[in-house]
Amino acid sequence: MKIYDLVIIGSGSGLNIASKAIENNKKIKIAIIEKDKMGGTCLNRGCIPSKMLLHYSDVIETIKKSDDFFIKSNIKKIDYKKIITDVNNQINKDSLEILSFYKKNKKIDLYQCEAKFLDNHKIKVKDKIIYAKKIVIAIGARPNVPKIEGLDKIDYLTYVEALKLKKLPKDITIIGGGYIGVELSLFFYSMGVKVSILEKENILSGLDNEIVAEFKKDFLKKIKVFEKANIKKIDKKNNKAVIFFNNKKIESEKVLVVAGIKPNTDLIDIENTDIKLDRKGFIKVDKYLQTSVKHIYAFGDCIDSYFFKHSANFEAKYIYSRIFERNRERITYPNVGYSVFSNPEIAGVGLKLKEIDDRYFVKKAYFKDIAQSMICKGKAGIIYLIFEKKTKRLKGSHMVCKNASILIHVLIAFMEKRGKLDDMKKMIYIHPSFAEIIKRGVLE
Ligand SMILES: Cc1cc2nc3c(=O)[nH]c(=O)nc-3n(C[C@H](O)[C@H](O)[C@H](O)COP(=O)(O)OP(=O)(O)OC[C@H]3O[C@@H](n4cnc5c(N)ncnc54)[C@H](O)[C@@H]3O)c2cc1C
């Protein structure tokens, strides 16, 4: 039986630990176990392909708006086949490069199979058993598919298939209005597909209503949204899916289900260990990202944390420091921002409007009031800045605005450095940049 200093299960953010460990530790022996393509969700079926597709959308939407700038243009053809091939070729190339790197590396044994725990130290990999002194579980999650009568009778898509779809449908119904549903809806819309979203609550329900309301001004012109949609059943009729919800029905060629994620903890025979799961199947970890078994860590999408690639990267860095640098501190997350890569983008950090009380005050500004709005002939956009009354410190900010995913970093930095309203007022904001929406907000 081979004995390893460290076994990492999952080659998404788990590779952050592996790569640093082999770089900095001469005698280490590590095993990585991966059942699928190298690089995990972000590279193969998440952040990267979705944002690549959205970049195509941006190009298309810019061309469509060229008339506003007295430039006559028309889109002769959108070669969807080439788009989807390009995206998938690029991510496959990246994944294969990662594979080749790890296959060649002498300090690492790569097992390309499903990991199955036999006990707290032993793991079955195909027909072999390996022994791990320490283990990191970074097995991520997969699409959650809700129980809906008739769904199993149709050839539905999840984000995994949607990002590889060979042929565009004429129309698509997306079940789920979270950020993935919203982003993919905009991609399909740009490709000329008629898109509807059925959402059991409200779209982007985790965000503030004020932000979503601003976002919807443009979004609803493109996408048909049914909120509080209680889906009763789905039938198949003439190769179309008919979805019955509330007292309505909707027909479409394709159905895309993006109703959250489900941790992959049911795939590793975790019951053979002393690791504990929570009600939803996520691995329970303490403030040190240790599971109920001290030598086993877990992080990323398989624990109930942030579900972002950037937070998983942070956690990986922390676990590395615990294992290899004797860090004894508990994990303290800095301010974790989020972004919806829609058009316009949404981004935010810290406290939300729905979370504050009279200990806070709010400043807001509209995109239409800054010079960039005139320059790019766009009106939609708003920013909210939340300050603590006592300290005047910035405690949160949320915005809908072109480039929001970039702008938010100014506010993340301010929050990180415990910046106060006066500090933000003192700063010079470049004119006429998008950042002037922040200036407008703080000077309000
Ligand atoms: C469509 C989409 C868009 C997204 N966009 C963004 C974005 O813009 N920004 C952002 O921050 N986040 C985004 N995310 C979320 C982000 O991708 C995840 O939070 C992140 O990738 C999680 O990383 P992880 O390492 O925890 O898991 P993963 O990257 O999923 O890695 C887990 C790995 O473990 C493997 N595995 C599972 N079980 C086993 C087993 N038993 N044996 C061996 N291997 C196993 C899996 O095959 C997988 O490769 C997006 C997600 C999706 C689905």
Side-chain angles (χ1 to χ4, degrees), residues 9-14 33-48 50-51 111 113-116 138-141 159 163 179-180 183-184 261 264 267-268 299-302 306-312 339 341:
I9 313 176
S11 78
S13 319
I33 314 172
E34 172 56 63
K35 68 176 177 60
D36 208 319
K37 285 186 187 160
M38 296 295 280
T41 301
C42 176
L43 173 63
N44 295 295
R45 50 195 169 272
C47 331
I48 304 299
S50 61
K51 267 84 247 184
Y111 295 96
C113 61
E114 232 173 42
K116 299 281 181 197
I139 52 174
Y159 58 77
L163 295 166
Y179 83 92
I180 299 177
E183 289 183 355
L184 289 177
I261 54 169
N264 284 326
L267 306 178
I268 50 170
F299 77 101
D301 280 3
C302 65
Y306 284 101
F307 309 116
F308 295 132
K309 179 61 179 162
H310 42 282
S311 50
S339 194
F341 291 83

Side-chain angles (χ1 to χ4, degrees), residues 202-216 353-354 384:
N202 297 310
I203 61 157
L204 300 171
S205 61
L207 307 185
D208 283 323
N209 292 340
E210 294 82 347
I211 290 290
V212 181
E214 181 69 18
F215 172 70
K216 274 180 172 173
L353 295 169
K354 58 182 159 191
Y384 289 91

